[in-house]
Amino acid sequence: YRPEFFAVLPPYLKDSECARILTSPDINMTMLVRDLPVLPADIVNNTFLQRKLDKDGCCGHRELLKLYAYTMTEFEIAVHLDLDTLVLQPLDELLDAMHYSQQHPKGLAARAALQDSA
């Protein structure tokens, strides 16, 4: 796999230290500056969601920025990882299970290995 890495940031963070680090040659992510896909005030007829959204996760309604992973349809596979994610093992089997069908030998092997490790 030849992964490409993207940092999806809201406009107010595009010139931040975080953005400079993520797009530095050492890390080499492509910065995608995006507005929040939805604001709590835009959610109608769901007062529970409106009340809870700002208290969820570390960043409240800003967590909705993660939804942009679902718009990256130009890629066969898109995986969202928060910056606080610690990957302890290679992702090859997971990617193989997503890439290859259940009938393909690589797909079968990847699914079996993932089930064995669960």
Side-chain angles (χ1 to χ4, degrees), residues 26-84:
D26 292 336
I27 297 177
N28 198 27
M29 288 188 175
T30 301
M31 183 173 22
L32 302 176
V33 178
R34 301 288 186 265
D35 289 322
L36 296 174
V38 65
L39 297 172
D42 297 331
I43 301 169
V44 295
N45 300 328
N46 196 333
T47 56
F48 174 80
L49 184 56
Q50 285 174 319
R51 281 195 323 268
K52 298 295 183 180
L53 195 56
D54 271 333
K55 297 178 177 91
D56 186 50
C58 73
C59 305
H61 70 276
R62 291 173 202 84
E63 295 279 348
L64 295 174
L65 204 57
K66 298 172 187 179
L67 295 174
Y68 279 107
Y70 294 99
T71 69
M72 302 180 88
T73 57
E74 66 271 25
F75 300 99
E76 186 174 352
I77 298 171
V79 178
H80 170 265
L81 297 174
D82 276 334
L83 284 177
D84 59 355

Side-chain angles (χ1 to χ4, degrees), residues 6-17:
F6 299 91
V8 183
L9 300 169
Y12 68 89
L13 287 179
K14 71 177 182 164
D15 297 318
S16 68
E17 183 64 20

